[in-house]
Amino acid sequence: MITPIRSLLDSTQLGQMRALLDRTDWVDGRSSAGAQALAVKQNRQLAADNPLALQLGEVILAALSRHPTFISAALPLRIMPPLFNRYEAGESYGLHVDNALRFSPPDRPGQAAIPVRTDLSATLFLSEPDDYDGGELEIESSFGAQSIKLAAGDLILYPASSQHRVSAVTRGCRTCAVFWVQSMVRENHQREMLFDLDQSVQSLSAELGQTHEEVLRLSGLYHNLIRHWAET
């Protein structure tokens, strides 16, 4: 399931974020690439321990916690701190699959890093589509390749097992934040059914009221499926 999450960040947050990112130092993106990605990755990024990356990452994580569509689609158990990347003319990221495991910083000093199973990948667009040419996120799916270029502040959520690429930027600058999610529900087809069911419950609740018999029936089914499938 490939799911757009609209308006995660508002115009004020985006303006402040872009101004800070334009004034900071970027490093070679290959510094965080795995063996497969090393040969096809050409971009720049903020170091994971850059104080600005940590500061802006907290803003994004807070916005995710308040966005009902993200919560419904991802059913998040753990979210990796966002990474920030930038592509300018001639830069791209060739076809690859994200690593199955990443390691989140420990909660307290002295603890080991926390392994995170990457069920879902996410790209948050920070540049407006008119600011650059090229730079589409291309995701391979059972319906063929999907080319995605969203408005600034919008996020795309997709299975981390998907092959994907970022096409070459030919003009301007593409800035994004990327992160990975371990879901409480491991299987993509189960998350998709739960998302569709939850959207139906929300729609019927608005039309019929939360105490309507059919709304209660479907809501009960949703929560019982969560009990059956969730890992915590």
Side-chain angles (χ1 to χ4, degrees):
M1 182 172 68
I2 299 174
T3 309
I5 309 295
R6 303 295 182 183
S7 302
L8 181 71
L9 300 180
D10 61 33
S11 58
T12 300
Q13 291 172 315
L14 285 167
Q16 293 171 345
M17 198 170 285
R18 283 196 295 253
L20 291 168
L21 290 171
D22 285 342
R23 296 197 298 266
T24 195
D25 295 323
W26 297 81
V27 301
D28 190 337
R30 290 174 296 181
S31 61
S32 66
Q36 179 197 44
L38 190 61
V40 296
K41 187 176 185 181
Q42 295 176 301
N43 67 2
R44 290 169 296 145
Q45 65 187 33
L46 296 190
D49 59 353
N50 184 312
L52 179 61
L54 299 175
Q55 173 191 339
L56 299 184
E58 288 297 323
V59 174
I60 293 171
L61 293 174
L64 291 170
S65 72
R66 298 188 299 266
H67 202 292
T69 306
F70 172 78
I71 299 299
S72 179
L75 295 170
L77 179 63
R78 297 187 181 93
I79 304 176
M80 286 291 298
L83 300 175
F84 294 83
N85 58 42
R86 174 164 284 189
Y87 296 78
E88 293 189 351
E91 295 181 321
S92 64
Y93 199 161
L95 193 66
H96 65 285
V97 174
D98 291 335
N99 291 344
L101 290 175
R102 298 188 73 89
F103 293 87
S104 182
D107 294 329
R108 294 189 299 273
Q111 283 187 328
I114 301 169
V116 176
R117 187 185 69 234
T118 57
D119 297 320
L120 294 159
S121 298
T123 297
L124 171 62
F125 291 79
L126 301 176
S127 300
E128 293 292 355
D130 292 342
D131 291 343
Y132 60 99
D133 293 333
E136 293 83 2
L137 174 63
E138 299 176 358
I139 304 171
E140 300 289 339
S141 74
S142 57
F143 301 102
Q146 298 196 37
S147 181
I148 297 165
K149 188 174 183 178
L150 301 183
D154 288 353
L155 179 145
I156 195 74
L157 189 67
Y158 59 98
S161 56
S162 305
Q163 291 188 338
H164 57 282
R165 77 184 87 201
V166 177
S167 66
V169 170
T170 59
R171 177 193 64 85
C173 178
R174 174 195 193 266
T175 304
C176 291
V178 299
F179 59 91
W180 295 267
V181 179
Q182 179 173 337
S183 177
M184 290 184 287
V185 176
R186 179 194 295 254
E187 298 296 335
N188 182 59
H189 70 280
Q190 293 173 343
R191 287 195 307 274
E192 185 170 0
M193 286 188 286
L194 288 166
F195 179 69
D196 287 343
L197 181 54
D198 185 46
Q199 296 305 293
S200 295
V201 170
Q202 299 307 317
S203 178
L204 283 175
S205 295
E207 181 180 346
L208 303 175
Q210 293 185 348
T211 60
H212 191 278
E213 179 181 359
E214 295 305 318
V215 173
L216 292 173
R217 188 192 307 275
L218 286 178
S219 181
L221 175 61
Y222 173 81
H223 288 287
N224 285 332
L225 287 173
I226 291 282
R227 288 189 185 94
H228 184 64
W229 287 335
E231 304 170 10
T232 60

